[in-house]
Amino acid sequence: MTGKAAAEAGACRAEDTASEPTEGPTQPSEEVAASEAPVAAPRAPAPTGAEPAPPSEDVPSAPLGLTVEDVSDRAVTVSWEPPERLGRRGLQGYVLELRREGASEWVPVNPRPAMVTQQTVRNLALGDKLFLRVAAVSLAGAGPPAVLAQPVHIQEAVEAPRIRVPSHLRQTYIRQVGEQVNLQLPFQGSPKPQASWTHNGHALDGQRVSVRSGDQDSILFIRSAQRSDSGRYELTVSLKGLEAKAAVDVLVIEKPGPPGSIRLLDVWGCNAALEWVPPQDTGNTELLGYTVQKADRRTGQWFTVLERYRPTTCTVSDLVVGNAYSFRIFSENLCGLSASAAVTKELAHIPKAGIIAKPQGFVKRDFSEAPLFTQPLADRTSTAGYSTQLSCCVRASPKPKIIWMKNQVDLQGDPKYRTLSEQGVCTLEVRKPSPFDSGVYTCKAINALGEASVDCRLEVKASATH
């Protein structure tokens, strides 16, 4: 008899108990949840006291391994293993019962035996302490129950706090002086955890920094950042002895000051050597380098010579002879160039030297050249009725005269042929050739310095007939 048939047998009348017993229990294939609320009026799975007690070998033994699988703020799940002895009358199912702390009555969770080895008791109240037991039931009655050793306490589930730092805050958060600082860090935790911020390990200045913490995130806001706001801001989220921490490094920067001083070291030829002192104020961040500019005394216009130049000495070259130059240098960081520059106090004069120009005589080159074929003609095979082209390349100066021949006969004036010559490329087009046009074709180039020729063989095959 299957487990389903055994469950139906429990609902029949007492005289139906004489049916054939099952050979053994059927293991459950899915979890069966308990009813939404425990039944108020218990229904005892065992026979009443007026009936004679069944022999011990007819009822199953106590289920094995009764354990709590899961506990939440609204439900508890327990599981067990089948008993060692099923009884001679066969297993009908299991009955799970609960008893609240302070009560003396056991209340069945499932009024009828169920062929499951795991059940969930739902709709429980926070603060409840429950005792649970389960008994195996056969047609002969209920066996001894298996009881949990400790009561189950229903209390609010605690989710450990966690903080998720956005990717743009995992590196140094850089802002300029006067800009807003907005740090938003999402967190998790249940129930709602407590969030607190510190700046370099100390409490925040409430007059400059405002904090708003919700159920899922905490926001630190500074309306107008100052350099003193730089440092490490740490968020701590705590919940019932558990806590999580996350830190964000903030750097507030501004434009650097100009170099301390600039000095003209030396002037020689068309070159000038400069040296300067780094600025005292770098803008709360490292320098990217220096920008060096020069200005001619005559025009007064400034031109950039070097950009993001890191050393504190340089040589400015290619100065114009006879001019006098001033130089200035800016400091540069992430915010840009310094508001002012360090300017040389003295001018760099590039003197004129007694140089006499000796122009060299110009030698005119003769580019005259006899004809020379740089690309010869190539043998070709064509099909009758399809135009074909023969091409070659010639180099000559002055421009040569091009003559095309077939079997040493000049083709000039023959309408069957068309000749082209452009940029040294000579082309002969044979229009719709026939087998009669097969032969040796020659291209000859002639100018005042000489002549040259190349030839090839053209074979025209008759078109296939069908």
Side-chain angles (χ1 to χ4, degrees), residues 279-302:
Q280 296 182 354
D281 183 10
T282 62
N284 203 29
T285 184
E286 64 175 354
L287 293 178
L288 299 179
Y290 302 93
T291 296
V292 181
Q293 295 182 342
K294 67 178 180 179
D296 187 352
R297 184 181 59 178
R298 295 179 182 178
T299 62
Q301 296 181 356
W302 292 97

Side-chain angles (χ1 to χ4, degrees), residues 25-103:
T26 301
Q27 294 299 324
S29 60
E30 60 180 354
E31 176 184 348
V32 179
S35 59
E36 294 297 327
V39 178
R43 179 176 178 180
T48 62
E51 298 178 358
S56 59
E57 60 270 14
D58 290 342
V59 297
S61 59
L64 303 176
L66 177 61
T67 57
V68 176
E69 296 291 340
D70 184 40
V71 179
S72 67
D73 57 351
R74 299 285 292 174
V76 59
T77 300
V78 294
S79 65
W80 58 89
E81 299 292 335
E84 293 182 354
R85 187 182 71 253
L86 301 179
R88 292 183 300 181
R89 304 297 300 276
L91 184 65
Q92 185 181 4
Y94 301 92
V95 173
L96 178 66
E97 296 178 316
L98 64 85
R99 178 174 65 84
R100 287 181 170 81
E101 186 180 40

Side-chain angles (χ1 to χ4, degrees), residues 363-406:
V363 179
K364 185 177 180 180
R365 183 177 177 182
D366 185 9
F367 291 94
S368 299
E369 182 181 5
L372 175 65
F373 283 93
T374 59
Q375 181 66 37
L377 292 173
D379 295 340
R380 291 182 63 86
T381 300
S382 180
T383 303
Y386 293 91
S387 298
T388 185
Q389 291 182 345
L390 304 177
S391 298
C392 60
C393 296
V394 65
R395 185 180 67 199
S397 180
K399 184 178 181 181
K401 178 182 178 181
I402 305 299
I403 301 175
W404 284 93
M405 297 180 292
K406 173 191 173 186

